[in-house]
Amino acid sequence: MSGLKAERSLFSYPKYWAECYGPAPFLPTSRAEMAKLGWDSCDIIIVTGDAYVDHPSFGMAVIGRVLEAQGFRVGIIAQPDWSNKDAFMALGKPNLFYGITAGNMDSMINRYTAEKRIRHDDAYTPGNEGGKRPDRAVIVYSQRCKEAYSDVPIVIGGIEASLRRIAHYDYWQEKVRRSIIFDAKADILIYGNAERPLVEVAHRIAGGESVETIQDVRGTAVIRKTPLPGWRGSDSTAIDKVGKIDPIPNPYGADDVGCSKSEFAQAGIDLAAEAAKPIVVQPPRLKPWEKAYVKLPAFEQVSVNKPLYAHASRILHQETNPGCARALYQRHGDRYVWVNPPAFPLETEEMDHVFGLPYQRIAHPMYGNAKIPAYDMIKTSVNIMRGCFGGCSFCSITEHEGRIIQSRSQESILDEIAQIRDKVPGFTGVISDLGGPTANMYGLRCKNKKAESTCRRLSCVYPSICEHMDTDHTPTIELYQKARKVDGVKKILIASGVRYDLAIQDPRYVKELVSHHVGGYLKIAPEHTEEGPLSKMMKPGMGAYQRFKELFEQYSKEAGKKQYLIPYFISAHPGTSDEDMVNLALWLKSQDFRLDQVQNFYPSPMANATTIYHTEMNSLRNLKNNTERVTVPKGARQRRLHKALLRYHDESGWPIIREALRAMGKANLIGKGPQCLVPEEGRNEKQPASKGRPALTKHTGFSQFKKANTKPRVGDNKKRGAPTRDGQSQAKRQASR
């Protein structure tokens, strides 16, 4: 056994008595629908910020159907009016609990751009209409549910709650906020993919157990006054040394401004000895991480002390492997958030069962003919796996879904393709994607079971691919070949991002992909060309990209196809200097790439890159004696400059680029020559604004520059209709379960 298998199967629980009602065509959203099903009440009510689409790519549908399969009567309140409690009482009082999620996307990322501007659309809302969910939706929904029925337990989950399970930096308020479980006043927080912990919680409440006593479920966080009985504690500084911490004022008058060790001394625990060797209790013989917790610096400390914040972030990311993770314990005032170790990933049979439930695969009829863009994007796609062992520092997938790849069987995937063919209105024979967080991690796992269950690496592929990592793409190749043969299927496309450093380890996969599954353009994400930002992103160097590009072009030529790579890049990422961005722009120009839709770095809660952004410290390394100060592009002007450099061909950005180039002593890059990045000011161009600062205006001098660049730009996303790198286009990779 690898140490990553749960003691109990997801579908092994005795069914709840309401199983006699059978599955509902759609989970009810109104009293009238409940009456048609013969229900007098709901056992569980799910409140979500998304429109209700009964499809396995939508979190509320997956959770609802999984709970229904356990025998519970599940209702859905989708995108309720949060101005008062009435909408939250539409289905009556739930017998067991409210389950609350912001939806498939974090409500703040859904609502605001990386520059904190309000979005006026929402791909998860009928008609793409914005403003149908509140900011910090989990908190608001929880408050309204408490107003509706104060004695009903509140269970929060989804990606918004998952990424806020401990004290975290909030980009929108530019401060550290406490764990969301306190602000939501929830009873239980479920993080990660929720099926396993939520099913256990539901059955325990249904069995008569009080929610206050359900404190030990893996994959959950709860509020406590003391650690769980029988658990051994370690101070976080005994595990990962912080180094020198500047003294800070203590506004609360407590005596543990640093990480307190007094209570451990009182308990007879020798932290120095504990740091040197694991605690072993006999009998039975426990592994060092079993029944063990790590005490993190308190919210009051990390909110004002950046080294301690970076330290707490390091500890959290080290304790994410279900096989060896310890619980986390963090003080907030006079209470603590207790974060149990992560839930064990689903086995293939369990994944098959989850995706084989009776989804209608369409939006609820109450929306009529209104279009829901997110559904249109994924209605003919198939999610074949979960998790990602890439560990990119800016991405929240690993924090949410974990590093362990959970793959469905080929039979289950082929059956879903057949269902799409038979059920989805207007199916044209094209499957838009076989993928997930990453297209080519299907079936890949650590080849060493002991290493898999004890490893604490942040990434299995950075700085190099681990020797224990399986890179044999045979399962994916076979899946693609079988999928193409399903009756009624004309084309299988791959739209999920390809991890190209993995792909080049097995050129057979690249050949299969390029020969049969690229619709003219394939998106990959080098993210940058320079070592500074790449090292903070935990991304490979450009050598892997160049090798993949060679294989892509070779196999495209052999297949007799004219196909293009569409690279994605991030601007203003922590670790990126102005010179790094200039070098990236010059590389793009040399490759004749003209990117239209680009993304400035967006500091999502709890990501490693967000910690670097906030602290300006390299939290990817041990902080003891680590004096590296990371360059972090902050402020509207610098972030605008970096984005303009990424779109060097856009005339609206030329004034700010010229100003920067002159300040950097690189005025030689301004002109008409092939080595130049932007042209000189046009004759009719407006003069610079006050204080010598160039105005951001349109240019008439663009025509001369344009003549030298008339051949097609394969990286021009707008021209090619490629997906963008904003939160909406990536939302399906962040589906909250």
Side-chain angles (χ1 to χ4, degrees):
M1 184 185 298
S2 69
L4 296 176
K5 186 176 178 64
E7 294 180 0
R8 185 165 194 167
S9 171
L10 183 63
F11 294 96
S12 65
Y13 293 83
K15 299 290 176 61
Y16 191 59
W17 70 264
E19 180 202 12
C20 60
Y21 288 101
F26 285 90
L27 301 178
T29 63
S30 67
R31 287 280 200 168
E33 293 175 64
M34 289 170 58
K36 288 182 180 179
L37 296 170
W39 299 4
D40 59 349
S41 61
C42 291
D43 300 311
I44 300 163
I45 294 176
I46 297 173
V47 181
T48 175
D50 292 339
Y52 173 30
V53 180
D54 197 42
H55 187 284
S57 287
F58 284 74
M60 94 292 287
V62 173
I63 290 304
R65 290 298 186 182
V66 167
L67 290 171
E68 180 187 62
Q70 303 290 329
F72 300 109
R73 294 169 294 178
V74 183
I76 298 278
I77 297 178
Q79 298 189 316
D81 175 5
W82 66 90
S83 61
N84 59 65
K85 65 182 180 179
D86 294 348
F88 298 81
M89 304 173 72
L91 301 182
K93 183 178 181 179
N95 301 320
L96 301 179
F97 62 86
Y98 277 111
I100 295 175
T101 172
N104 272 23
M105 284 185 68
D106 183 289
S107 64
M108 299 301 288
I109 295 176
N110 178 280
R111 180 70 166 151
Y112 298 94
T113 69
E115 310 314 318
K116 303 180 184 178
R117 298 189 182 96
I118 293 178
R119 301 184 196 270
H120 298 290
D121 55 0
D122 183 345
Y124 289 88
T125 300
N128 201 24
E129 183 180 356
K132 290 297 184 180
R133 76 186 80 209
D135 292 354
R136 311 187 192 282
V138 168
I139 296 174
V140 176
Y141 290 162
S142 298
Q143 291 170 345
R144 294 295 175 267
C145 287
K146 279 294 185 185
E147 292 173 12
Y149 303 106
S150 60
D151 58 335
V152 174
I154 301 292
V155 179
I156 61 176
I159 196 164
E160 180 165 310
S162 183
L163 299 185
R164 292 168 169 80
R165 54 189 182 264
I166 65 170
H168 56 279
Y169 175 73
D170 184 88
Y171 172 62
W172 302 275
Q173 289 187 327
E174 297 184 0
K175 72 174 188 178
V176 176
R177 289 177 62 99
R178 59 183 186 168
S179 168
I180 195 173
I181 194 171
F182 292 99
D183 292 334
K185 296 180 174 59
D187 296 284
I188 297 176
L189 180 155
I190 293 180
Y191 67 91
N193 292 318
E195 292 97 340
R196 200 180 296 286
L198 188 57
V199 165
E200 180 178 346
V201 167
H203 280 290
R204 288 174 66 170
I205 294 177
E209 190 170 346
S210 169
V211 70
E212 288 82 9
T213 65
I214 304 176
Q215 305 271 286
D216 58 348
V217 179
R218 277 181 166 268
T220 68
V222 295
I223 297 173
R224 291 187 58 83
K225 288 281 190 179
T226 60
L228 284 178
W231 286 61
R232 315 180 315 281
S234 297
D235 191 280
S236 60
T237 56
I239 299 167
D240 189 82
K241 301 295 184 182
V242 183
K244 182 180 179 181
I245 302 174
D246 295 333
I248 56 173
N250 179 13
Y252 294 90
D255 60 358
D256 60 344
V257 174
C259 292
S260 174
K261 300 182 181 181
S262 59
E263 56 196 270
F264 293 98
Q266 293 170 8
I269 298 174
D270 185 347
L271 292 178
E274 185 176 54
K277 60 182 181 180
I279 295 176
V280 179
V281 179
Q282 301 250 10
R285 186 179 178 86
L286 295 177
K287 295 175 182 176
W289 53 83
E290 293 178 334
K291 293 286 185 177
Y293 70 88
V294 180
K295 184 182 180 186
L296 298 176
F299 160 70
E300 290 79 8
Q301 299 158 12
V302 299
S303 63
V304 294
N305 190 296
K306 291 182 178 180
L308 280 179
Y309 183 93
H311 163 73
S313 175
R314 277 182 53 78
I315 295 297
L316 179 138
H317 286 89
Q318 290 173 5
E319 303 296 336
T320 56
N321 184 342
C324 63
R326 289 163 283 203
L328 302 177
Y329 188 57
Q330 186 179 49
R331 179 169 64 81
H332 290 62
D334 61 349
R335 296 179 295 170
Y336 291 80
V337 58
W338 173 274
V339 183
N340 283 294
F344 288 109
L346 297 187
E347 300 294 320
T348 295
E349 296 77 12
E350 294 172 315
M351 287 276 285
D352 289 352
H353 199 153
V354 168
F355 282 87
L357 294 171
Y359 305 99
Q360 294 294 325
R361 310 194 71 85
I362 57 175
H364 191 281
M366 65 181 170
Y367 301 121
N369 295 323
K371 297 290 186 181
I372 301 175
Y375 168 66
D376 290 339
M377 180 177 69
I378 55 83
K379 65 182 179 182
T380 61
S381 71
V382 180
N383 195 331
I384 64 176
M385 47 76 71
R386 289 180 181 171
C388 180
F389 51 72
C392 299
S393 67
F394 53 82
C395 181
S396 59
I397 292 173
T398 302
E399 282 91 346
H400 183 56
E401 295 194 2
R403 288 192 294 116
I404 308 301
I405 301 302
Q406 304 156 69
S407 300
R408 299 167 60 186
S409 69
Q410 292 184 4
E411 293 74 20
S412 170
I413 295 166
L414 297 176
D415 180 67
E416 184 170 352
I417 293 173
Q419 287 190 45
I420 292 173
R421 175 196 64 199
D422 299 336
K423 286 187 175 182
V424 174
F427 178 63
T428 62
V430 178
I431 297 296
S432 61
D433 188 26
L434 292 183
T438 305
N440 59 319
M441 288 186 183
Y442 175 76
L444 300 185
R445 290 190 71 160
C446 183
K447 294 181 289 186
N448 185 312
K449 292 186 180 297
K450 182 177 180 180
E452 182 183 43
S453 61
T454 59
C455 179
R456 295 179 185 273
R457 280 184 59 164
L458 299 180
S459 170
C460 301
V461 293
Y462 183 86
S464 60
I465 297 175
C466 177
E467 62 181 6
H468 297 308
M469 178 50 61
D470 183 11
T471 58
D472 182 359
H473 285 59
T474 298
T476 312
I477 295 170
E478 292 179 347
L479 174 63
Y480 289 0
Q481 292 171 345
K482 292 179 180 179
R484 293 203 306 270
K485 297 177 182 178
V486 174
D487 289 341
V489 172
K490 301 175 184 177
K491 184 78 173 178
I492 302 283
L493 297 174
I494 303 303
S496 295
V498 173
R499 185 82 193 200
Y500 55 85
D501 53 342
L502 272 179
I504 61 177
Q505 304 301 315
D506 193 342
R508 298 175 305 137
Y509 172 76
V510 183
K511 183 174 183 179
E512 173 72 18
L513 175 71
V514 171
S515 301
H516 301 284
H517 302 285
V518 176
Y521 307 95
L522 179 69
K523 61 181 181 181
I524 60 173
E527 308 297 8
H528 217 285
T529 57
E530 306 305 295
E531 176 58 25
L534 286 174
S535 67
K536 304 306 180 291
M537 296 175 178
M538 297 177 67
K539 291 285 289 186
M542 291 301 288
Y545 167 81
Q546 293 296 347
R547 176 57 181 153
F548 183 83
K549 183 173 181 288
E550 291 170 4
L551 292 173
F552 181 88
E553 292 173 347
Q554 173 190 337
Y555 294 132
S556 292
K557 184 177 180 180
E558 290 179 6
K561 297 182 177 181
K562 191 70 172 176
Q563 300 182 141
Y564 303 96
L565 287 178
I566 298 180
Y568 283 131
F569 297 91
I570 297 178
S571 54
H573 190 279
T576 309
S577 66
D578 294 352
E579 187 165 351
D580 288 331
M581 288 306 303
V582 170
N583 290 338
L584 172 54
L586 290 170
W587 182 89
L588 290 170
K589 188 172 185 290
S590 72
Q591 300 294 312
D592 208 16
F593 283 149
R594 294 177 58 174
L595 310 178
D596 188 71
Q597 301 283 350
V598 300
Q599 176 66 56
N600 258 349
F601 169 66
Y602 204 149
S604 59
M606 224 169 73
N608 273 309
T610 301
T611 298
I612 300 174
Y613 175 89
H614 169 53
T615 65
E616 300 183 16
M617 301 178 68
N618 186 3
S619 59
L620 302 176
R621 297 168 47 198
N622 191 300
L623 297 173
K624 183 175 176 60
N625 300 323
N626 176 3
T627 58
E628 178 185 358
R629 282 294 178 263
V630 180
T631 298
V632 177
K634 291 184 179 180
R637 186 166 184 82
Q638 190 177 23
R639 286 170 65 86
R640 189 164 70 248
L641 168 63
H642 283 207
K643 194 169 185 177
L645 285 165
L646 201 52
R647 301 188 67 245
Y648 66 92
H649 58 279
D650 183 356
E651 57 186 299
S652 66
W654 291 347
I656 194 172
I657 292 176
R658 292 193 196 103
E659 180 185 34
L661 291 176
R662 288 171 179 141
M664 296 167 66
K666 295 181 180 292
N668 60 303
L669 297 178
I670 303 171
K672 297 181 181 179
Q675 79 284 357
C676 295
L677 190 59
V678 294
E680 292 280 3
E681 290 87 342
R683 181 166 45 184
N684 298 324
E685 186 176 345
K686 290 184 179 180
Q687 294 302 311
S690 60
K691 297 184 180 180
R693 180 168 292 176
L696 296 180
T697 59
K698 289 288 184 180
H699 292 242
T700 56
F702 179 59
S703 58
Q704 291 181 326
F705 179 71
K706 189 175 181 181
K707 290 178 182 178
N709 295 275
T710 54
K711 65 180 181 178
R713 267 55 169 181
V714 301
D716 188 336
N717 293 7
K718 183 176 182 181
K719 195 172 188 177
R720 307 299 180 186
T724 66
R725 284 284 284 180
D726 62 12
Q728 303 248 355
S729 68
Q730 294 209 24
K732 81 169 183 177
R733 301 201 311 162
Q734 297 186 4
S736 56
R737 302 288 189 254

